[in-house]
Amino acid sequence: MKRTKGRLTMLCVSLAGVLALTACGGQANEGQNSQTGSSESAKTKTIYIYQNKIEIDKALKKTAEAYTALHPDIQFSIESVSDNFSTGLKTKLASGELPDVFTVLGNQDLKLWQSQLEDLTDQPWTKDMIPLAKEGITGDDGKVYGLPVSVEGYGYVYNKKLFQQAGISKVPVTLTELKQDVESLKSAGMQPLVGAYMDWYQAGNFLVNMGIARQKDPLAFIKGLYDGTATFVGNEIFKEVADFIQYDFANGKNGLSTNFNNQTTQLVNGEIAMTLGGNWLQPTIDNGNASLETGLMPLPVNDNPEENDKLYAGVSGYWAINKNSDVKKEVKDFFNWLVTTPEGQTHMTKDMQIIPGFSSFSADNETIGDLGADLSRYLKEGKVYGSYNSYYPDGVAQAFGEAVQRFVAGQVDKDGFLQELQNEWDRLAE
Amino acid sequence: MLWGNLLFLGPSTLVFLAVVVIPFAISIIYSFSNWNGISNEIKFVGLNNFNNIFSGKAKFLDAFWFTLRITAVTVLLINLLGILLAVALTARLPLRNPFRAAFYLPQTMGGLILGFIWQFIFIAGFPAIGDKLNLGFFTQQWLGTEKTAFAALVIVNVWQNAGYVMVIMIAALSGISSELIESAKVDGSRPLNTFLRIKLPLCVPYITVSLFWTISSALKMFETNVSLTKGGPYGSTTSMALNIYNDAFANNKYGLATAEALVFFVIILAITSVQLYMSKRKESQIL
């Protein structure tokens, strides 16, 4: 009995301790809240943005500050994450802290998140969205669910100086020209190509997309893949793309142990003439080696110049609004300011250096750099294929990337590779 | 008396219920569904997920086979190396303590960071050494082929964990009474004999602990895997835990992933229980 009493006292003491601690915590929190409440106007609201374009993080925060200066009652909390963005978002959803604004990739990703999103169809800027941008974020119900952040495009990023030194005067637009140029680069003692085949990301997203984007009607092809009427196996376009992939790998160096960082380092240091990449590399190039002159060129897979003088482009992500957010109206006002007022537009094009998915304003050629300017030119001339990875079943891009790795490692031949693409699609689509 | 016990057991039981039992029960329920992890619609599909796992459709079996192989290799190497280090560092060596600290150090770093550091070493460091010294061993594409990527994971795991086993074994070896060793010496036992016949048997309880820890952590391998090889090349080094993570977060097959997690749980439980049972039996035979 005595022992029990002793234990009880101990428990009471520890409980009291815990209570005291939590009480202190609560008080401290309250203190903070009331402080911000009294110094600002009584109804300061905070917009929590969670987005995946890490390279615009600083610029976006600057833009947010400018907006807060105009609207003192609106504060921002901005979190930018590139790796594991969607894992983080799902965790936030599970813990009931879904951000007010977050990135949605469009199509399949839209289907996944649609039940959580605010309908933005009635916003004034939706009529200005370019078709490429609009189709990705329009649900099956015909409603628009997000604001396109940026148009991005890819091809080969090439080093202009090395091209000059090897005596190449214009970028190749057919496969034969590409092969000739690779030979002249080699004979000038340069490393013509390098591919980041160690990551599944570029192989699974960019390389396989070439085959889909080059189909006569890519969306019909994808629909056919879903209902089983179309197949990768024996598809002539995919065979050409497979040959191209093999050529790119064979003329690269240590592709399977080169990752994105390694690839970018070699490009920025001027060690390689060409590598798969897009206009998103511009800030890295500017920071790493501002004197490096680069350009964006097509990825030719056969000898028809009209089919091959094109880049691949798509909207990399959309900002969508959580329909259960308390600050929906404030976010809509902010979006409106961002894409319909000259000031907001300048922040988008000059600070964030993006190519907008709107017809109402266009990119600033001086700030988007060489790569952006090339992409912008191809876009204007209409010489672009689309990006269709957001239409794939979840996880297919990774599975495709692994299939490409197996193909270039010589584990499967061309037919086996196409069969594998088909198997992975079927496995993950159900 | 009853109330007193309840007062003490109650809070911990409540916490245990809330963070272990209930989530576990919920995950069992999810494992029979095709939930994608986000939407409000959950459809129950019976044993479909388990069917996909055991028919090999879900890639879980590949991951299981890989995990078994790497567990066998790393557990063996970690324990051998750990014991060897412990023996070496309980001898009267100069700089004994700095060495102990150096070998234990990798254990204190997170697996994620280790993976990234070693990825850099394998991709950029080794080739640089290889080019300078003209050694083919270093210039091969370490993370680019199936066999070398496996070896790379083994190297990093052994390097990370051998220090921990070393610490346990140092404790074991220094706990042996010196009188015992003295009398063995007087009886004419040579050092190797003393080690194999006297020291090692006395260390068996510690070896049980080391084995249990290394086996269960090797089976659960995740961070080094995700940061060093990301399961590549072509998915050949995907561990069970990474496979579950991919299914849950990349493929949005949450139902399938919880089913895999259940199977994963049963596998680990079975393997470690067998190991514990056998080691305990060995212990009671010897001691």
Side-chain angles (χ1 to χ4, degrees):
Chain A
M1 189 60 211
K2 210 177 169 194
R3 255 176 58 208
T4 324
K5 222 177 186 176
R7 283 194 205 161
L8 265 174
T9 350
M10 233 170 68
L11 183 78
C12 290
V13 169
S14 52
L15 266 179
V18 170
L19 278 176
L21 275 175
T22 45
C24 285
Q27 261 170 6
N29 270 340
E30 265 169 42
Q32 263 175 8
N33 283 343
S34 60
Q35 220 176 19
T36 46
S38 59
S39 62
E40 307 283 339
S41 83
K43 45 179 192 337
T44 302
K45 289 183 170 167
T46 303
I47 298 176
Y48 176 23
I49 299 178
Y50 179 68
Q51 63 100 24
N52 73 345
K53 252 174 95 65
I54 190 101
E55 62 272 26
I56 63 165
D57 182 60
K58 246 191 219 156
L60 181 60
K61 281 176 181 154
K62 195 181 146 198
T63 310
E65 268 168 37
Y67 190 75
T68 306
L70 294 172
H71 305 265
D73 53 334
I74 307 290
Q75 300 277 341
F76 289 87
S77 157
I78 293 167
E79 192 181 345
S80 306
V81 171
S82 68
D83 277 357
N84 299 323
F85 170 81
S86 57
T87 310
L89 189 56
K90 281 171 212 165
T91 329
K92 285 177 199 293
L93 172 74
S95 60
E97 288 166 4
L98 196 64
D100 302 312
V101 177
F102 54 91
T103 308
V104 171
L105 301 178
N107 299 309
Q108 280 301 113
D109 206 37
L110 171 65
K111 290 204 179 90
L112 200 60
W113 289 99
Q114 196 166 332
S115 60
Q116 312 286 345
L117 301 182
E118 173 79 359
D119 172 17
L120 299 177
T121 318
D122 58 346
Q123 295 300 302
W125 41 262
T126 51
K127 64 176 187 343
D128 298 329
M129 285 162 74
I130 59 174
L132 185 78
K134 203 167 191 169
E135 69 183 23
I137 199 69
T138 307
D140 291 336
D141 52 6
K143 292 176 179 163
V144 175
Y145 287 95
L147 177 140
V149 180
S150 158
V151 177
E152 295 192 332
Y154 68 92
Y156 272 140
V157 175
Y158 68 99
N159 182 326
K160 285 183 178 162
K161 211 168 102 198
L162 294 189
F163 263 48
Q164 248 169 27
Q165 283 171 8
I168 303 166
S169 52
K170 73 179 252 301
V171 296
V173 291
T174 65
L175 187 60
T176 313
E177 283 175 24
L178 176 71
K179 285 182 175 168
Q180 282 164 359
D181 291 347
V182 164
E183 288 315 313
S184 32
L185 285 161
K186 272 187 191 161
S187 55
M190 294 158 191
Q191 177 63 40
L193 282 163
V194 84
Y197 285 91
M198 184 182 152
D199 304 329
W200 56 263
Y201 191 85
Q202 294 181 29
N205 284 313
F206 305 148
L207 291 175
V208 177
N209 174 57
M210 291 168 63
I212 292 187
R214 298 176 74 99
Q215 303 290 332
K216 270 218 173 62
D217 182 350
L219 288 179
F221 181 71
I222 289 171
K223 200 166 163 288
L225 287 174
Y226 273 111
D227 58 29
T229 55
T231 168
F232 294 98
V233 182
N235 186 298
E236 289 305 320
I237 295 170
F238 261 99
K239 280 185 183 169
E240 280 178 349
V241 170
D243 287 334
F244 171 81
I245 292 173
Q246 216 160 29
Y247 180 78
D248 176 74
F249 180 77
N251 289 284
K253 202 176 109 190
N254 294 347
L256 278 169
S257 58
T258 302
N259 63 8
F260 175 65
N261 281 346
N262 203 246
Q263 172 198 28
T264 315
T265 313
Q266 292 185 51
L267 174 75
V268 169
N269 291 341
E271 293 165 13
I272 47 172
M274 289 179 269
T275 191
L276 190 71
N279 59 313
W280 54 85
L281 287 172
Q282 193 69 51
T284 320
I285 294 172
D286 291 344
N287 285 332
N289 182 357
S291 64
L292 186 77
E293 279 182 50
T294 51
L296 207 51
M297 63 171 245
L299 307 161
V301 304
N302 62 35
D303 281 340
N304 179 344
E306 265 166 46
E307 271 180 34
N308 289 292
D309 191 16
K310 289 183 175 181
L311 297 177
Y312 297 81
V315 173
S316 59
Y318 299 84
W319 285 336
I321 303 178
N322 170 6
K323 73 171 178 196
N324 298 318
S325 157
D326 302 329
V327 291
K328 280 195 293 205
K329 199 192 154 295
E330 287 75 8
V331 178
K332 285 178 183 169
D333 290 344
F334 171 64
F335 278 3
N336 234 331
W337 173 81
L338 196 61
V339 298
T340 61
T341 68
E343 198 191 347
Q345 291 171 349
T346 311
H347 277 291
M348 290 209 41
T349 53
K350 274 209 163 37
D351 293 334
M352 301 185 216
Q353 305 185 358
I354 60 192
I355 300 175
F358 294 92
S359 52
S360 46
F361 63 111
S362 56
D364 184 287
N365 265 337
E366 273 175 25
T367 52
I368 55 176
D370 298 337
L371 299 178
D374 277 350
L375 173 64
S376 192
R377 184 164 52 83
Y378 272 92
L379 275 171
K380 254 181 216 142
E381 293 168 12
K383 294 199 289 190
V384 283
Y385 287 114
S387 278
Y388 295 93
N389 18 30
S390 61
Y391 291 88
Y392 303 167
D394 301 316
V396 157
Q398 177 165 2
F400 278 177
E402 287 171 0
V404 172
Q405 289 173 335
R406 217 167 286 146
F407 175 51
V408 296
Q411 301 270 322
V412 290
D413 61 4
K414 192 159 61 175
D415 293 330
F417 167 57
L418 298 184
Q419 184 63 55
E420 208 152 292
L421 293 182
Q422 187 63 42
N423 294 348
E424 294 294 347
W425 182 286
D426 293 342
R427 178 172 75 88
L428 290 158
E430 68 169 20
Chain B
M1 208 46 201
L2 173 74
W3 286 108
N5 288 348
L6 213 61
L7 246 178
F8 278 93
L9 282 175
S12 55
T13 313
L14 272 182
V15 171
F16 185 71
L17 273 176
V19 305
V20 179
V21 178
I22 294 175
F24 194 77
I26 292 176
S27 79
I28 292 180
I29 297 172
Y30 280 142
S31 71
F32 295 106
S33 77
N34 70 349
W35 190 37
N36 65 9
I38 293 164
S39 91
N40 301 326
E41 286 170 39
I42 300 177
K43 209 175 94 197
F44 285 91
V45 292
L47 290 171
N48 214 345
N49 290 328
F50 294 95
N51 242 338
N52 285 345
I53 293 173
F54 292 112
S55 64
K57 212 176 156 194
K59 295 205 165 179
F60 184 80
L61 293 182
D62 297 339
F64 175 54
W65 174 229
F66 164 76
T67 312
L68 270 192
R69 282 185 298 148
I70 199 151
T71 302
V73 178
T74 51
V75 165
L76 196 71
L77 288 178
I78 289 172
N79 285 288
L80 275 182
L81 196 69
I83 292 173
L84 282 179
L85 285 173
V87 170
L89 295 176
T90 43
R92 292 183 198 289
L93 282 180
L95 293 179
R96 197 167 70 167
N97 285 332
F99 270 119
R100 286 184 183 179
F103 284 113
Y104 184 69
L105 201 63
Q107 181 63 39
T108 61
M109 284 186 247
L112 211 56
I113 298 163
L114 276 187
F116 283 126
I117 295 172
W118 274 90
Q119 193 186 49
F120 177 77
I121 295 177
F122 282 122
I123 292 176
F126 273 23
I129 297 173
D131 283 342
K132 288 258 153 51
L133 303 177
N134 216 355
L135 288 174
F137 176 76
F138 286 111
T139 49
Q140 51 183 325
Q141 301 192 45
W142 272 93
L143 301 178
T145 70
E146 228 170 294
K147 282 188 184 130
T148 48
F150 184 88
L153 271 173
V154 170
I155 291 173
V156 176
N157 266 311
V158 171
W159 180 71
Q160 182 190 8
N161 296 323
Y164 195 73
V165 173
M166 175 196 76
V167 168
I168 296 177
M169 293 309 294
I170 285 178
L173 288 171
S174 24
I176 296 171
S177 129
S178 56
E179 290 163 24
L180 220 53
I181 309 296
E182 291 281 306
S183 56
K185 215 184 222 169
V186 172
D187 285 344
S189 167
R190 279 166 305 157
L192 184 66
N193 200 37
T194 314
F195 176 71
L196 289 178
R197 294 288 171 83
I198 297 173
K199 287 186 183 168
L200 213 51
L202 284 172
C203 290
V204 163
Y206 294 86
I207 295 178
T208 306
V209 173
S210 301
L211 271 180
F212 175 75
W213 179 76
T214 46
I215 290 178
S216 71
S217 66
L219 287 173
K220 289 186 286 193
M221 178 175 76
F222 177 73
E223 311 103 273
T224 22
N225 198 193
V226 82
S227 58
L228 186 67
T229 66
K230 290 201 185 76
Y234 41 87
S236 64
T237 60
T238 307
S239 67
M240 284 193 286
L242 182 57
N243 180 62
I244 292 170
Y245 171 86
N246 280 342
D247 273 333
F249 290 108
N251 303 348
N252 291 327
K253 293 188 183 301
Y254 202 89
L256 175 65
T258 43
E260 286 175 336
L262 272 182
V263 178
F264 176 63
F265 168 76
V266 173
I267 289 173
I268 293 189
L269 191 71
I271 293 179
T272 48
S273 322
V274 168
Q275 180 261 327
L276 270 187
Y277 172 75
M278 302 215 328
S279 318
K280 287 281 178 205
R281 213 174 54 173
K282 193 92 197 156
E283 268 175 47
S284 56
Q285 273 172 9
I286 292 175
L287 300 176

